[in-house]
Amino acid sequence: MQRLDLLYNTLMPDKENHLYWVGIRESEIVECAQLFARSITFIGDSKKNRAYLNEYPDDDYNRPNSRQDQWFAKEMSDVLARDAEARFLFYSEISIPYILKHNKSLAKSILQLNSEETTIKVRDKFAMFDLASKVVPGLKREQLSGKQIKASEFAQPIVAQARIGQSGSGTNLLMTESDCDVLVDEELYSVSNYQEINTPINIHALITEDESILFPASLQIIKLVDNRLTYNGADFNKYRKLNASIKTKVDKYSELLCRELKTIGYRGVVGIDFIIVDDEVYFMEFNGRFQRSSSELNQILKKSGRPTLQELQLMVYHKEKLPKNLDLTKASIDKPKLSPSALTRLIEQKYPKESDQTKILKALEFATEKHTGQTRLSGESYISHPIAVATILAEWDMDVDTVVAGLLHDVVEDTDTSLDDLAKKFGKNVALLVDRVTK
């Protein structure tokens, strides 16, 4: 049995702070860490904060898991034993009912905006497809059992979505009959034709008693992993370059969908997914929680002097009046500054072991030396791209060798460095990773 690896992290020792974050990654609150006394998450930084960083399968983040729910319940109980005034804010309220099964007394300390009934309803893809179809376009769908899908002939690839799932879990791309082996015969799926040429979009919204606020949308980077369409990043700048009519539709449809969510009692932060096919915008799903891209949006909010999403969520919970300057439609969204010094700071934050930092910074120095004098067609220094790749990999909490390979992935192709050279300096695994991505 695989070891259950989880993280309990102390962010701030301030005894006057009684607010605690419960989520998946510590990086979810990097722009608003001052709000929280501690975080209880799977992944985080243990350098200065006495965290216990372990591993846990990505696939299980989005599914009820008795062991992980019990762990969260225990850690929250331990916090309350030390701090009777503790209050917990969640990345996803979906997990709250499962945690409470292990300790019902925690309920009074949880800042929960939505009832269990509302949370379950928003998580139900079938119910939300029906809700959305009243006001916005959606792909043509039908509900079929796994057995029915297996018995059908494949005229073209299809997407089968389970009733429950998020971040790609439960969404399967079926291209051949053998792909259907992942389906459960008795389970129902929402089936639609696979749109090979499409642009996936995500937008954050905040729903309050009085209004719905939209934030800058992003293009979603979707990756096919074991025939599952999974989230792999977001690009806010590329979204801004889309046709104005498309962006107008996204805003209009989002406003209509927020009104529908409001009618069923939903409040707080929500993510809405669309896809663009042939210049039309189609609704895909709701995410009744913070998003993987929320930390990037928080950077935009903080830079422009606005509250972060976590701060806004707290305002909604306490029924406080929101600031009037939340409209970011005309705010500039600059690309993050990617530089050796910025990467160094990120590495120090993400990789607490001195040996890990040394290895990554050694690779940065080596790549910078090898690419000296080289420039790209844009006029940028050649090293700017490897730094950008390594920055993204570090932000995604990838392992040390992967980040090192990100820095070195061009040196074999574009300098006099050989794979043997890399193996001697950085290890065989790094050389293998570089070899796999070298053109």
Side-chain angles (χ1 to χ4, degrees):
M1 181 181 295
Q2 184 166 352
R3 181 168 54 91
L4 176 63
D5 289 328
L6 295 166
L7 164 75
Y8 178 76
N9 180 43
T10 303
L11 280 175
M12 295 176 62
D14 183 357
K15 294 182 180 180
E16 299 304 315
N17 193 346
H18 304 288
L19 185 61
Y20 298 77
W21 176 255
V22 182
I24 297 172
R25 297 168 180 81
E26 180 195 333
S27 58
E28 293 154 2
I29 57 170
V30 68
E31 298 296 334
C32 55
Q34 74 283 356
L35 289 176
F36 302 95
R38 295 179 178 180
S39 68
I40 303 173
T41 60
F42 292 112
I43 299 170
D45 170 20
S46 62
K47 183 178 180 182
K48 297 178 180 178
N49 303 318
R50 301 187 300 281
Y52 298 91
L53 180 60
N54 298 308
E55 297 177 357
Y56 196 76
D58 279 342
D59 284 350
D60 289 329
Y61 287 150
N62 300 311
R63 299 179 180 134
N65 180 301
S66 181
R67 290 182 302 165
Q68 78 179 43
D69 298 332
Q70 187 174 8
W71 181 83
F72 275 116
K74 178 183 181 300
E75 295 300 332
M76 291 168 67
S77 299
D78 288 348
V79 167
L80 282 167
R82 298 188 298 269
D83 180 3
E85 298 180 55
R87 295 295 180 267
F88 301 96
L89 185 66
F90 275 70
Y91 171 85
S92 173
E93 293 187 353
I94 289 167
S95 57
I96 292 174
Y98 302 103
I99 292 173
L100 292 181
K101 288 180 180 179
H102 298 279
N103 187 346
K104 293 181 180 179
S105 67
L106 293 171
K108 64 181 182 298
S109 301
I110 294 174
L111 305 184
Q112 185 171 3
L113 277 167
N114 298 290
S115 67
E116 181 177 347
E117 179 184 1
T118 299
T119 302
I120 291 173
K121 188 177 293 185
V122 173
R123 197 183 183 200
D124 185 331
K125 292 185 186 293
F126 297 176
M128 293 301 99
F129 290 149
D130 290 341
L131 183 78
S133 67
K134 300 175 184 177
V135 292
V136 301
L139 296 176
K140 184 178 179 181
R141 303 175 182 276
E142 61 178 329
Q143 289 183 19
L144 298 172
S145 68
K147 187 174 183 179
Q148 288 174 310
I149 297 171
K150 291 175 182 179
S152 61
E153 296 183 3
F154 282 79
Q156 66 181 89
I158 62 173
V159 175
Q161 291 181 283
R163 181 183 292 273
I164 303 298
Q166 60 187 31
S167 296
S169 66
T171 299
N172 303 285
L173 174 59
L174 309 177
M175 305 183 73
T176 65
E177 291 183 10
S178 62
D179 294 337
C180 296
D181 292 343
V182 299
L183 305 180
V184 179
D185 285 352
E186 296 75 21
E187 188 169 339
L188 277 179
Y189 297 87
S190 177
V191 179
S192 61
N193 290 331
Y194 175 56
Q195 307 296 326
E196 185 174 0
I197 301 176
N198 74 83
T199 304
I201 302 295
N202 172 269
I203 187 169
H204 286 72
L206 183 72
I207 301 175
T208 75
E209 293 289 337
D210 303 317
E211 60 183 326
S212 296
I213 299 165
L214 303 181
F215 298 95
S218 63
L219 262 63
Q220 300 290 279
I221 302 168
I222 304 299
K223 188 176 181 181
L224 185 62
V225 178
D226 297 330
N227 279 43
R228 288 194 293 124
L229 299 169
T230 61
Y231 173 86
N232 214 43
D235 193 320
F236 287 86
N237 281 290
K238 282 189 177 180
Y239 176 82
R240 297 193 77 189
K241 298 176 183 178
L242 292 180
N243 186 288
S245 63
I246 292 292
K247 293 186 286 187
T248 298
K249 286 182 179 179
V250 170
D251 287 348
K252 177 183 176 182
Y253 294 169
S254 298
E255 289 174 358
L256 293 171
L257 290 166
C258 284
R259 290 179 193 173
E260 294 300 311
L261 283 179
K262 192 172 180 178
T263 64
I264 64 171
Y266 188 88
R267 300 292 184 270
V269 172
V270 64
I272 308 174
D273 290 343
F274 299 96
I275 62 168
I276 303 169
V277 179
D278 296 330
D279 290 328
E280 182 53 272
V281 178
Y282 297 97
F283 168 78
M284 292 302 289
E285 66 181 24
F286 292 117
N287 301 303
R289 53 178 170 78
F290 290 85
Q291 310 292 285
R292 284 282 296 273
S293 57
S294 293
S295 56
E296 288 95 331
L297 180 55
N298 275 343
Q299 292 177 24
I300 297 168
L301 290 167
K302 192 170 182 179
K303 180 183 176 183
S304 62
R306 275 83 166 181
T308 61
L309 293 171
Q310 281 83 354
E311 291 171 293
L312 293 169
Q313 186 89 330
L314 288 169
M315 290 180 192
V316 176
Y317 177 83
H318 292 295
K319 294 183 169 54
E320 296 176 3
K321 192 171 182 179
L322 299 181
K324 294 181 179 180
N325 65 337
L326 292 178
D327 182 6
L328 281 167
T329 55
K330 296 181 180 180
S332 65
I333 303 173
D334 297 330
K335 291 182 180 179
K337 293 182 179 179
L338 302 173
S339 65
S341 59
L343 177 59
T344 299
R345 290 193 297 272
L346 180 64
I347 296 309
E348 290 175 349
Q349 174 192 353
K350 291 282 188 177
Y351 301 93
K353 290 184 179 179
E354 186 175 346
S355 58
D356 291 343
Q357 293 179 21
T358 300
K359 186 172 185 177
I360 296 172
L361 297 178
K362 179 182 175 183
L364 173 61
E365 181 180 355
F366 181 82
T368 300
E369 178 185 345
K370 288 297 180 180
H371 290 304
T372 297
Q374 296 179 336
T375 59
R376 299 188 177 272
L377 291 176
S378 63
E380 288 183 301
S381 171
Y382 206 92
I383 192 62
S384 62
H385 172 65
I387 288 176
V389 171
T391 299
I392 292 170
L393 293 172
E395 287 175 341
W396 288 350
D397 300 307
M398 302 301 286
D399 62 73
V400 171
D401 280 356
T402 301
V403 177
V404 169
L407 283 165
L408 302 173
H409 75 275
D410 276 341
V411 295
V412 172
E413 183 179 7
D414 298 317
T415 76
D416 59 358
T417 306
S418 68
L419 288 171
D420 286 340
D421 293 334
L422 293 187
K424 291 175 183 177
K425 286 182 174 294
F426 300 100
K428 291 182 179 179
N429 187 48
V430 169
L432 178 61
L433 290 171
V434 170
D435 186 36
R436 286 178 176 175
V437 298
T438 299
K439 299 176 183 177

